[in-house]
């Protein structure tokens, strides 16, 4: 987004940072692998290691402080594997296997030339053996064979961080796919001597795909589905281990004029990410975390088991949406996060308005009510009030794009749900319209509509029940009863799928 000259300066800056201390050649010949004689490669004799540092590790989206100008050191990394039940979506839980207690694994930041002493602990309450394969390690298995660790035990190995770059680490215990699919991936950054050029904000974002027995947003504790994983049919594709990990209070933050650097990993196990930030153009992308930045990129591919570093200056305030631009993953599997930028507007760059529920969907109005209703339901204590609160959140984005946030619709185009005689006349018919859509002439409060509502059969039964309970009790509709998920399930069960349609 800046002038060409600015990039030239930064490119030189990177070479100074990345090559200067080792007196290597220009950035023009450097590469992430160790080409002999090239700056930042392993071909030179190792620099002397001075002192011992206990590595500070961070949970996403935070990253540890830069290495700065310090010389290579012995760095002690302590990481503990914990098997923990955590939310993956509102009201949906999953038994994650984690490096450090959350997904993704804790961020590790070292300097090229550091001698890393790695301690992998496996918490005594865990059920599984685990290990770690760091792509930053030069040597067979990336550390995996040296770190097989039973619950209650700890392993230790050491390696020299030879190559600069942003590397994935993951568990490589059989069945490997299952360990990775349960969340066992993280990032280790190996900074070049002198460190990366300073920026205003740095964040850690990791994409993963998850495979649950229940469909997307089916509530409760969801078991892992190995067959779906083998078939590469993810139920969830999310950033930082949960659908809402970068939403609301947890949005990434920046101020107008600042440069943001995202360290983005793709832990897979299966999906390749088309990483994009809606409303931004990446000034620089270190494609696949190689040393040569590509410039002016809209969307960048991140392989499974790979990473990228993107940098961009934010110039106008508002909400920027991180997505996997395989776009149904963003809107129907969860691969959506936000960056909130505050500061003065610049109407010459952008005159328009802030994004609304169209992009954020029901997350725009997230209140925690969906999870609350699901928990109450699991205990047999669901009330109509809890359903209304959950339905109100889900209505935003799911239905409001057409029927409008106040339920008034748009004359001649989208019928009103507010004070709708059609809506209130037949509960079963309305459930059927949401599951199966509706085409053709209908009369609402005396006005004729002749259009099409697409089926929303992808929504789980309880979400449809809660939305309709809300709608039938709002804006002058005065239902006194609720719509139950059993009523929705009954309509769904009676629905004939079109011949050949996917189940
Ligand atoms: Cu494991």
């Amino acid at each position: 987004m800046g002038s060409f000259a600015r990039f030239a300066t930064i490119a030189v800056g990177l070479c100074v940072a990345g090559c200067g201390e080792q007196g290597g050649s220009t950035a023009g010949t450097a590469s992430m692998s160790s080409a002999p004689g090239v700056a930042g490669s392993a071909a030179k004799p190792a620099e002397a290691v001075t002192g011992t540092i206990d590595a500070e590790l961070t949970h996403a989206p935070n990253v540890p402080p830069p290495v700065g100008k310090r010389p290579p050191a012995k760095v002690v990394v302590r990481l503990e594997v914990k098997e923990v039940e955590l939310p993956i979506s509102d009201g949906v839980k999953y038994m994650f296997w984690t490096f450090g207690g959350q997904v993704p694994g804790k961020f590790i930041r070292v300097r090229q030339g550091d001698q890393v002493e790695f301690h992998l602990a496996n918490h005594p309450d865990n059920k599984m053996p685990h290990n770690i394969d760091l792509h930053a390690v030069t040597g067979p298995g990336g550390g995996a064979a040296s770190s097989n660790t039973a619950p209650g035990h700890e392993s230790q190995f050491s390696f020299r961080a030879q190559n600069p770059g942003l590397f994935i680490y993951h568990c490589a215990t059989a069945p490997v796919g299952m360990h990775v699919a349960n969340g066992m991936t993280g990032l280790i950054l190996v900074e070049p001597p002198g460190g990366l050029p300073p920026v205003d904000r740095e964040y850690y974002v990791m994409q993963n795909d998850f495979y649950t027995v229940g469909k997307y947003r089916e509530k409760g504790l969801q078991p892992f589905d190995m067959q779906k994983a083998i078939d590469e049919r993810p139920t969830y594709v999310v950033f930082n281990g949960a659908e809402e990990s970068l939403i609301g209070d947890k949005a990434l933050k920046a101020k107008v004029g600042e440069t943001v650097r995202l360290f983005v990993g793709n832990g897979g196990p299966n999906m390749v990410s088309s990483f994009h930030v809606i409303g931004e153009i990446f000034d620089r992308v270190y494609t696949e975390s190689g040393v040569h930045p590509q410039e002016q990129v809209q969307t960048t591919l991140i392989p499974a088991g790979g990473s990228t570093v993107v940098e961009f200056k934010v110039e106008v305030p508002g909400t920027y949406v991180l997505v996997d631009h395989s776009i149904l993953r963003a809107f129907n599997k969860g691969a959506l996060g936000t960056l909130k930028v505050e500061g003065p507007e610049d109407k010459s760059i952008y005159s328009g308005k802030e994004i609304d529920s169209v992009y954020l969907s029901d997350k725009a109005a997230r209140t925690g009510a969906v999870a609350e209703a699901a928990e109450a339901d699991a205990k047999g204590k669901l009330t109509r009030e809890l359903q209304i609160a959950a339905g109100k959140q889900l209505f935003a984005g799911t239905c409001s794009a057409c029927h409008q946030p106040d339920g008034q619709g748009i004359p001649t185009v989208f019928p009103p749900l507010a004070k709708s005689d059609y809506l209130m006349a037949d509960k079963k018919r309305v459930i059927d319209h949401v599951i199966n859509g509706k085409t053709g002439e209908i009369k609402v409060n005396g006005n004729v509509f002749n259009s099409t509502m697409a089926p929303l059969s992808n929504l789980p039964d309880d979400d449809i029940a809660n939305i309709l309970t809300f709608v039938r009790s709002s804006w002058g509709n005065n239902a006194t009863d609720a719509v139950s998920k059993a009523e929705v399930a009954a309509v769904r069960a009676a629905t004939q799928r079109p011949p050949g349609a996917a189940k």
Side-chain angles (χ1 to χ4, degrees):
M1 301 235 159
S3 70
F4 191 77
R6 191 160 66 80
F7 294 125
T9 318
I10 284 163
V12 169
L14 182 73
C15 182
V16 167
C19 331
E21 280 187 32
Q22 298 215 341
S25 59
T26 66
T29 54
S31 80
M32 195 43 82
S33 63
S34 38
V38 162
S41 81
K44 296 208 154 212
E47 290 175 84
V49 168
T50 34
T52 301
I53 297 171
D54 276 320
E56 180 190 335
L57 312 186
T58 56
H59 285 302
N62 298 315
V63 297
V67 298
K69 303 278 179 238
R70 73 165 172 82
K74 176 180 159 187
V75 176
V76 180
V77 174
R78 294 179 188 279
L79 195 54
E80 185 176 39
V81 176
K82 292 179 189 158
E83 299 166 6
V84 285
E85 209 178 283
L86 292 169
I88 189 167
S89 181
D90 258 348
V92 189
K93 286 196 170 160
Y94 189 78
M95 176 57 87
F96 292 98
W97 299 350
T98 73
F99 285 109
Q102 289 183 18
V103 173
K106 284 184 170 177
F107 198 99
I108 307 167
R109 188 166 195 163
V110 300
R111 178 197 188 276
Q112 187 182 8
D114 281 349
Q115 198 67 38
V116 181
E117 182 184 293
F118 207 102
H119 298 252
L120 186 73
N122 191 347
H123 195 279
D125 293 345
N126 291 350
K127 304 278 187 288
M128 297 290 150
H130 299 286
N131 65 19
I132 192 164
D133 166 353
L134 300 114
H135 292 183
V137 170
T138 305
S146 316
S147 58
N148 284 319
T149 312
H153 291 256
E154 185 183 303
S155 320
Q156 185 186 325
F157 64 101
S158 75
F159 67 93
R160 192 163 73 222
Q162 306 226 82
N163 303 79
L166 179 64
F167 299 95
I168 288 276
Y169 66 79
H170 62 89
C171 184
T173 304
V176 177
M178 182 174 180
H179 284 251
V180 172
N182 280 339
M184 299 195 77
T185 61
L187 287 178
I188 173 169
L189 173 66
V190 182
E191 289 198 68
L196 296 171
V199 291
D200 302 299
R201 307 268 176 171
E202 293 183 327
Y203 290 113
Y204 171 20
V205 177
M206 176 78 92
Q207 180 171 322
N208 287 95
D209 27 298
F210 292 96
Y211 303 81
T212 62
V213 170
K215 68 193 257 184
Y216 175 65
R217 290 192 171 175
E218 199 167 309
K219 309 300 184 298
L221 178 63
Q222 287 295 327
F224 170 65
D225 189 325
M226 187 62 169
Q227 192 57 50
K228 277 189 195 163
I230 293 167
D231 296 343
E232 304 189 12
R233 285 192 297 119
T235 328
Y236 291 87
V237 179
V238 296
F239 298 124
N240 292 355
E243 250 205 285
E244 284 89 13
S245 65
L246 297 174
I247 301 290
D249 294 348
K250 293 190 261 174
L252 304 178
K253 288 176 188 71
K255 294 207 168 77
V256 166
E258 289 183 332
T259 297
V260 179
R261 173 184 288 146
L262 302 180
F263 296 109
V264 192
N266 182 6
N270 290 318
M271 299 294 115
V272 166
S273 176
S274 299
F275 185 68
H276 175 73
V277 176
I278 298 173
E280 263 303 337
I281 294 125
F282 302 135
D283 296 335
R284 285 167 300 285
V285 175
Y286 295 86
T287 311
E288 295 165 11
S289 297
V291 293
H292 301 299
Q294 176 63 280
E295 293 167 358
Q296 312 297 356
V297 176
Q298 59 188 308
T299 301
T300 191
L301 269 176
I302 316 176
S307 66
T308 193
V309 181
V310 301
E311 295 172 0
F312 51 95
K313 187 176 171 187
V314 286
E315 280 148 326
V316 287
T319 306
Y320 296 82
V321 184
L322 285 61
V323 294
D324 179 340
H325 216 295
S326 286
I327 208 73
L328 280 98
R329 295 181 193 164
F331 295 108
N332 300 82
K333 290 178 192 280
L336 192 149
T338 51
L339 166 70
K340 273 256 175 216
V341 176
E342 287 181 349
E345 300 211 45
D346 183 340
K347 296 281 185 194
S348 71
I349 295 176
Y350 183 62
S351 68
K353 44 180 186 176
E354 169 69 316
I355 59 160
D356 56 14
S357 59
V358 174
Y359 273 131
L360 289 181
S361 183
D362 56 292
K363 295 185 185 82
R366 189 164 182 263
T367 54
V370 174
E372 211 183 319
E375 275 157 35
D377 189 23
K379 293 184 194 133
K381 291 192 172 148
L382 186 61
T383 63
R384 187 168 153 265
E385 285 64 39
L386 287 170
Q387 284 194 268
I388 290 172
K392 184 176 180 183
Q393 181 191 317
L394 293 163
F395 180 85
T398 309
C399 320
S400 65
C402 300
H403 293 288
Q404 303 303 298
D406 56 4
Q408 296 295 335
I410 291 183
T412 75
V413 186
F414 301 120
L417 301 180
K419 267 200 170 152
S420 162
D421 56 357
Y422 184 93
L423 169 78
M424 295 309 288
D426 188 340
K427 182 152 108 174
K428 239 183 175 167
R429 177 175 70 183
V430 170
I431 298 171
D432 181 80
H433 287 357
V434 175
I435 292 178
N436 297 309
K438 168 74 184 133
T439 295
E441 194 172 298
I442 56 171
K443 208 180 232 186
V444 183
N445 301 339
N447 298 313
V448 171
F449 294 83
N450 191 350
S451 184
T452 292
M453 171 165 140
L456 292 164
S457 57
N458 58 304
L459 299 174
D461 294 342
D462 61 333
D463 284 1
I464 293 176
N466 294 346
I467 290 171
L468 289 178
T469 302
F470 163 67
V471 166
R472 293 174 76 257
S473 312
S474 304
W475 313 306
N477 298 322
N478 36 29
T480 50
D481 61 337
V483 177
S484 72
K485 67 178 183 189
E487 288 173 293
V488 178
V491 173
R492 196 191 292 271
T495 298
Q496 293 287 322
R497 302 281 296 138
K503 293 236 160 53

